[in-house]
Each structure stands twice: as structure tokens, then as C-alpha cells.
């Protein structure tokens, strides 16, 4: 195995692991702090991703697409929490799990209606690459790892210092 392949594999693995961390930390916080099994969070990630795709195509800017996807996914999540989950907080844990699964299944139907079942890739937001020990590494992968580290540090500070 060459050094370039090893460095490339490590950076790729860290960036994919960072994405999984960012998705899992929401589930973990929801269950750990609120005692709610919220499977519907996966729906909000998907809605944000598909809206990012659509807005990126319409505007030609990935940054505007990401911003719009995050805002709309946040609004949808807030609306579902206020309209649906607020009524079941005092009930048993199974109610929240079943309700969130129902919201997830319904949301998947809405996504299939608007975007179908074909994957919709968003263009790479940062085309720049940097050289690390003779290996060209995409900067966006390092940005994803950096964001995950910042989120981890912020959550750690929030949980341990407040």
C-alpha cells in the first residue's frame, strides 16, 4: 500500500465517519436528554439534502442550496415537534417511537412523490484540493471533519459546562 493511498483512505474514512457522527449525535441527544426515540430526524436530514439539491440546481449556488435546505428542514422539524410530539411527551417511550416511525414513513412518501427514488447528487461545494504528503486531498472533506469536531466540542461544552 502506498502512502498516498493510505492518506487518501484515512481522510475519506474520517469524512464519512464525521457525516455519520453528525447524524447520530442528534439521535443520541434526543434520547439521552429528552428520553424520546426520534427516528424522524433521519427524515429532516433527507428533506434538507433534497432541498439542497433542488435549490442548488435552481440558483446555481451550492451555498444557497445548503442554506435553504437547512432552514426548511429546521422549520419542518420544528413544526412536527410542535404539532405532533408535544402531545406525547408524557406518554410511554413506545408512543414516541411509533409516532416518529410513522412521521418518517409519511415523510419518505412525500420525498418519493416530489423527487422519486433516483439518487440526486449535489455538486462538490469546494473544488480546491490541498497537498498532504504528496496526496491531493479535497478541502471539502477536511471541512466536514472540521465541522464535526466543532459540533463535538460545542456539545461537550454544552453538556459539561451548563
Amino acid at each position: 500500500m502506498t502512502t498516498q493511498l493510505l492518506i487518501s483512505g484515512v481522510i475519506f474514512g474520517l469524512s464519512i465517519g464525521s457525516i455519520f457522527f453528525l447524524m447520530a449525535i442528534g439521535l443520541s441527544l434526543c434520547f439521552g436528554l429528552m428520553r424520546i426515540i426520534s427516528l424522524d430526524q433521519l427524515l429532516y436530514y433527507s428533506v434538507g439534502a433534497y432541498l439542497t439539491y433542488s435549490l442548488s440546481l435552481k440558483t446555481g449556488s451550492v451555498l444557497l442550496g445548503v442554506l435553504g435546505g437547512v432552514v426548511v428542514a429546521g422549520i419542518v422539524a420544528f413544526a412536527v415537534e410542535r404539532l405532533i410530539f408535544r402531545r406525547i411527551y408524557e406518554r410511554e417511550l413506545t408512543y414516541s417511537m411509533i409516532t416518529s416511525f410513522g412521521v418518517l414513513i409519511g415523510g419518505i412518501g412525500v420525498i418519493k412523490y416530489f423527487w422519486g427514488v433516483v439518487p440526486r447528487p449535489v455538486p462538490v461545494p469546494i473544488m480546491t484540493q490541498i497537498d498532504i504528503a504528496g496526496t491531493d486531498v479535497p478541502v471539502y472533506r477536511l471541512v466536514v471533519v472540521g465541522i464535526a469536531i466543532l459540533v463535538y466540542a460545542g456539545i461537550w461544552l454544552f453538556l459539561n459546562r451548563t
Side-chain angles (χ1 to χ4, degrees), residues 1 19 22 28 33 37 48-49 51 69-70 73-74 77-78 83 97 102 109-110 113 128 140 142 150 153 159:
M1 177 183 302
I19 291 169
L22 290 170
S28 176
L33 295 176
I37 296 177
L51 285 170
V70 167
F78 182 75
L83 297 174
M97 186 172 62
V110 171
Y113 177 78
T128 309
Y140 78 91
L142 298 175
L150 288 174
L159 293 176

Side-chain angles (χ1 to χ4, degrees), residues 13-154:
L14 283 173
S15 66
I16 294 297
S18 295
I19 291 169
F20 290 149
F21 163 76
L22 290 170
M23 290 192 317
I25 195 68
L27 296 169
S28 176
L29 281 173
C30 221
F31 182 69
L33 295 176
M34 298 170 52
R35 308 307 285 170
I36 293 176
I37 296 177
S38 181
L39 301 173
D40 58 319
Q41 286 185 13
L42 304 171
L43 170 68
Y44 311 132
Y45 297 138
S46 300
V47 166
Y50 278 109
L51 285 170
T52 297
Y53 166 77
S54 296
L55 292 173
S56 295
L57 282 181
K58 291 286 185 194
T59 64
S61 169
V62 175
L63 184 60
L64 284 175
V66 168
L67 184 63
V70 167
V71 168
V72 172
I75 291 169
V76 169
F78 182 75
V80 168
E81 191 274 333
R82 292 292 173 189
L83 297 174
I84 297 172
F85 282 106
R86 193 164 233 199
R87 299 172 187 194
I88 63 168
Y89 282 145
E90 292 81 26
R91 296 192 181 193
E92 292 180 31
L93 188 61
T94 54
Y95 284 95
S96 68
M97 186 172 62
I98 292 169
T99 303
S100 69
F101 192 67
V103 169
L104 176 63
I105 295 297
I108 289 171
V110 171
I111 287 173
K112 284 181 180 178
Y113 177 78
F114 285 107
W115 288 283
V117 293
V118 178
R120 311 282 181 180
V122 175
V124 175
I126 303 170
M127 297 299 294
T128 309
Q129 295 190 354
I130 62 171
D131 186 275
I132 298 177
T135 304
D136 288 334
V137 176
V139 171
Y140 78 91
R141 293 202 183 274
L142 298 175
V143 168
V144 169
V145 172
I147 289 170
I149 290 169
L150 288 174
V151 167
Y152 173 77

